[in-house]
Amino acid sequence: MEEAERSSRVVLALLGAHLVGEVRSELAARLPETLALVLLNPLQAHEPLVPEGFVRATAAWIEGATEQTAAWEVSAVLSVVADIAGDDLLNRILLQLPAGYDLLFGRPQPA
């Protein structure tokens, strides 16, 4: 359980660095308070990470993680975020992210 919480915190902290304004606030309002605070006080991203970079960054922040395990962790956390967000908010989240994040959220978009 502790590992899942740590993974969730890392993924949400990285996600929070990529979201701005109302979208980040709306998502935070739908999360448990401890995770909402992580999303609202994100790690700093100097530039938007493409999905592969997001997975690599997650692996770097989780002790003992490989890119493969990090990809699983990211997808697990973001698929739950997608469920919590709902379609409308998720679409607005995806508009703020580089192309390809729809797959990490487990919601492939038509081309």
Side-chain angles (χ1 to χ4, degrees):
M1 188 66 170
E2 189 176 302
E3 187 176 322
E5 186 174 330
R6 184 172 58 243
S7 297
S8 296
R9 288 175 178 274
V10 169
V11 172
L12 289 172
L14 287 168
L15 180 63
H18 289 74
L19 301 179
V20 296
E22 216 176 273
V23 168
R24 186 166 61 187
S25 299
E26 278 186 52
L27 180 57
R30 298 178 190 198
L31 296 171
E33 186 178 357
T34 54
L35 295 177
L37 292 173
V38 172
L39 185 77
L40 293 171
N41 296 290
L43 298 168
Q44 293 304 305
H46 300 292
E47 61 187 33
L49 295 171
V50 296
E52 297 80 13
F54 191 95
V55 169
R56 279 193 296 276
T58 301
W61 280 95
I62 298 175
E63 187 177 330
T66 65
E67 282 189 35
Q68 283 182 323
T69 60
W72 187 87
E73 300 281 354
V74 167
S75 290
V77 172
L78 293 184
S79 67
V80 171
V81 168
D83 290 343
I84 290 169
D87 291 341
D88 178 60
L89 180 55
L90 180 60
N91 288 335
R92 290 185 288 137
I93 289 169
L94 291 172
L95 286 174
Q96 291 191 9
L97 299 170
Y101 273 83
D102 55 330
L103 298 176
L104 291 181
F105 280 92
R107 302 291 198 282
Q109 304 291 306

